Amino acid sequence: MIFPRCSGILLHVTSLPGGHGIGDFGESAYEFIEFLAGSGQKIWQVLPLNPTGYGDSPYQCFSAFAGNPLFIDLGALRGEGLLSAADVASAPNFPDDHVAYDRVIAFKQDLLRKAARAFFADQAGADRRAFDTFCQKGREWLEDYALFMACKKAYNDTAWVHWDAGIRQRDPSVLKKWQNELSAELEYHRFVQFQFFRQWEKVRDRCRRHGISLMGDIPIYVAHDSADVWTHPELFRLDERGQPTAIAGVPPDYFSATGQLWGNPLYRWDVSAFSGHRWWIDRCRASLGMFDLVRLDHFRGFEAYWEVPATASTAAEGKWVKGPGAEFFRVLQAELKELPFVAENLGVITPGVEALRNGFGFPGMSLLQFAFGKDPQGPTFRPHNYSRELVAYTGGHDNDTTPGWWTSSGVGESTRTEHDIREEHELTRAYLGFQNEEVNWIFIRTVLASVANTAIVPLQDLLGLGSEARMNLPGTVSGNWRWRYKADSLTKEIRENLLALTLLYDR
């Protein structure tokens, strides 16, 4: 698929400002859309919007289909009469520069439960028909997700592999018993999903009216403790108790000398193929129903993936195993027709990976921060080697911010040495021809000026923020996904500077 020449901003919903401790689908989302439109941007890229579990990571979620309840705007619930003004104003004094997840979860869950009680108490409410329609349309994933979350609560949030055998193994009679006993909790989770998707559709409608496309993200793997694995254990490499026998990761790389051990269960691609990849088709259809285009996370895993024994202590003990390849995408294409995918082709990329990507016309990705180091693929990230069918970034959600990358030592956060970093800086200055200018604007100008059809800038780079605004440090399990920008950050000067460059380079 050929994308028109344009540019956009990468910003996860959690990072929006607001008084309820975390970004949501409320006024700050609409103000950001106005900023995008005013600065000439055509894409808003977000990370996965699913309900987060372990480590608050959007890449370790309780469901690949459900939405994150924390994104629901409480003000909108007040507008529907489900919460009072006092409820909405009762937020604790949350920090405005990061998400305090434990406190936010407790606060918002209490009010969401109160709103649900009000909703179901009004049996003749005007929205009941819309709610019933939503539940019927999403029944295939919604019922399993609602029961999964209800059971987790009943088991004090323990992982499903530690539940009693009957419910763990989804015995039909036990499922029915739990559905009856937890009916009120199931209704709560249906209500939350109804509100999430209704509010998201309003955000999407505002984007459409401003000519802005939304780019989503499909993680290649799902969390072991998820409704997906509990509901479809046959699709994953599990033992008789549901524990993974092989897990996902990547070999030693830029971020870690021992590789990254993600821990997600690997797929049984033969079983998936036998079913016509039905779960994947449903997953992609759901994502394309929410977004205009989608980033396929860890694309190289579809060609070959890094398989690590579940007992391994590091990812270095893994091996490459062939993935589902072109057959998988042919099935998706036959079912879904257009595949507006962006392939995240970073890491150890082989000719086979690129042949698969090019065979289906998926634009790849290039990060300018990777262009000047000792990685053998570095030259491919330099703009004189760009192709037009490319999405060019200054950096990504796993990288430090560009000012942080430039000014920090980098030692301990990657496999680079001090000598490597000095050489990297020298080449960066020589290639980009700058001395003391703000490095973030040099990088922004470079990707916007490039021939790549699409250029994306993380908002942290646009704001010129340092390492304190980093979104994620791969290989660490805490302190990530927390950064938020402050409400007064999107100044007129920044908007006008970005608009000028966007117009100058025909974006």
Side-chain angles (χ1 to χ4, degrees), residues 50-124:
N50 310 105
T52 52
Y54 180 69
D56 307 303
S57 169
Y59 295 91
Q60 297 285 350
C61 291
F62 290 133
S63 169
F65 294 83
N68 191 334
L70 299 181
F71 296 157
I72 294 173
D73 172 32
L74 299 179
L77 299 184
R78 180 198 169 193
E80 295 176 25
L82 302 177
L83 293 175
S84 69
D87 291 329
V88 176
S90 67
N93 188 24
F94 289 121
D96 62 359
D97 62 348
H98 70 275
V99 182
Y101 278 100
D102 288 347
R103 294 170 59 202
V104 168
I105 291 169
F107 167 72
K108 295 201 79 167
Q109 279 189 351
D110 283 348
L111 290 187
L112 289 174
R113 289 185 179 278
K114 183 173 184 178
R117 289 193 295 270
F119 182 83
F120 291 117
D122 184 6
Q123 294 294 326

Side-chain angles (χ1 to χ4, degrees), residues 173-466:
S173 62
V174 178
L175 287 177
K176 188 172 183 179
K177 172 178 175 289
W178 281 82
Q179 287 165 346
N180 291 334
E181 292 181 359
L182 301 177
S183 58
E185 189 70 10
L186 298 182
E187 283 285 72
Y188 164 71
H189 287 289
R190 294 182 191 113
F191 166 78
V192 166
Q193 292 305 307
F194 169 63
Q195 291 292 346
F196 172 94
F197 283 99
R198 180 155 72 165
Q199 291 191 11
W200 173 250
E201 191 53 41
K202 290 178 181 178
V203 170
R204 190 175 184 191
D205 182 63
R206 181 70 66 92
C207 285
R208 287 193 195 101
R209 283 188 273 141
H210 283 85
I212 295 167
S213 296
L214 283 159
M215 182 191 291
D217 192 317
I218 297 180
I220 185 173
Y221 298 117
V222 297
H224 176 231
D225 188 24
S226 67
D228 309 289
V229 180
W230 176 61
T231 306
H232 300 285
E234 74 282 358
L235 295 178
F236 300 90
R237 303 272 295 279
L238 308 175
D239 64 19
E240 64 279 358
R241 284 195 56 85
Q243 296 285 5
T245 58
I247 54 179
V250 289
D253 63 3
Y254 173 91
F255 295 109
S256 173
T258 59
Q260 298 176 46
L261 195 60
W262 295 338
N264 307 74
L266 293 173
Y267 295 104
R268 295 180 63 189
W269 284 112
D270 57 336
V271 176
S272 181
F274 186 76
S275 71
H277 297 298
R278 177 51 48 190
W279 179 84
W280 270 99
I281 289 170
D282 292 343
R283 185 185 187 191
C284 292
R285 179 179 284 114
S287 188
L288 293 175
M290 294 178 65
F291 304 103
D292 303 293
L293 55 157
V294 173
R295 169 188 177 272
L296 277 185
D297 170 61
H298 197 57
F299 177 80
R300 73 104 52 249
F302 293 104
E303 195 276 334
Y305 55 89
W306 191 247
E307 177 184 300
V308 186
T311 55
S313 57
T314 75
E317 300 176 47
K319 63 180 181 180
W320 289 110
V321 177
K322 292 298 291 182
E327 176 268 342
F328 172 74
F329 289 106
R330 281 195 290 268
V331 170
L332 288 188
Q333 197 168 56
E335 185 81 22
L336 302 174
K337 309 311 177 189
E338 278 198 357
L339 300 179
F341 292 155
V342 173
E344 188 262 293
N345 58 335
L346 307 175
V348 182
I349 303 303
T350 64
V353 176
E354 289 299 84
L356 180 63
R357 181 181 66 79
N358 289 323
F360 289 88
F362 302 149
M365 290 173 53
S366 181
L367 273 61
L368 193 57
Q369 284 187 28
F370 289 159
F372 309 110
K374 301 188 92 172
D375 189 307
Q377 293 178 306
T380 65
F381 294 116
R382 295 172 196 162
H384 70 272
N385 288 321
Y386 283 0
S387 65
R388 293 191 182 278
E389 293 73 33
L390 184 72
V391 183
Y393 293 77
T394 54
H397 67 263
D398 285 332
N399 298 70
D400 202 344
T401 68
T402 293
W405 167 83
W406 185 247
T407 58
S408 70
S409 71
V411 177
E413 296 182 356
S414 72
T415 55
R416 298 178 298 164
T417 65
E418 291 184 12
H419 177 72
D420 293 338
I421 292 168
R422 282 196 301 272
E423 288 193 340
E424 189 174 36
H425 282 197
E426 290 172 4
L427 179 56
T428 304
R429 286 191 185 278
Y431 187 94
L432 298 178
F434 77 103
Q435 292 300 318
N436 299 314
E437 299 92 331
E438 294 175 295
V439 67
N440 56 308
W441 283 106
I442 294 294
F443 269 48
I444 292 168
R445 178 185 286 271
T446 299
V447 297
L448 290 178
S450 74
V451 299
N453 281 342
T454 309
I456 302 287
V457 178
L459 187 68
Q460 294 97 314
D461 285 358
L462 187 64
L463 300 179
L465 299 178

Side-chain angles (χ1 to χ4, degrees), residues 11 16 25-42 44 200 202-214 485 490 495:
L11 178 77
L16 290 164
F25 298 152
E27 194 57 37
S28 63
Y30 296 111
E31 290 173 356
F32 182 66
I33 293 167
E34 296 295 330
F35 175 82
L36 288 170
S39 58
Q41 305 312 294
K42 299 297 182 185
W44 178 6
W200 173 250
K202 290 178 181 178
V203 170
R204 190 175 184 191
D205 182 63
R206 181 70 66 92
C207 285
R208 287 193 195 101
R209 283 188 273 141
H210 283 85
I212 295 167
S213 296
L214 283 159
Y485 77 86
L490 302 180
R495 176 178 58 77

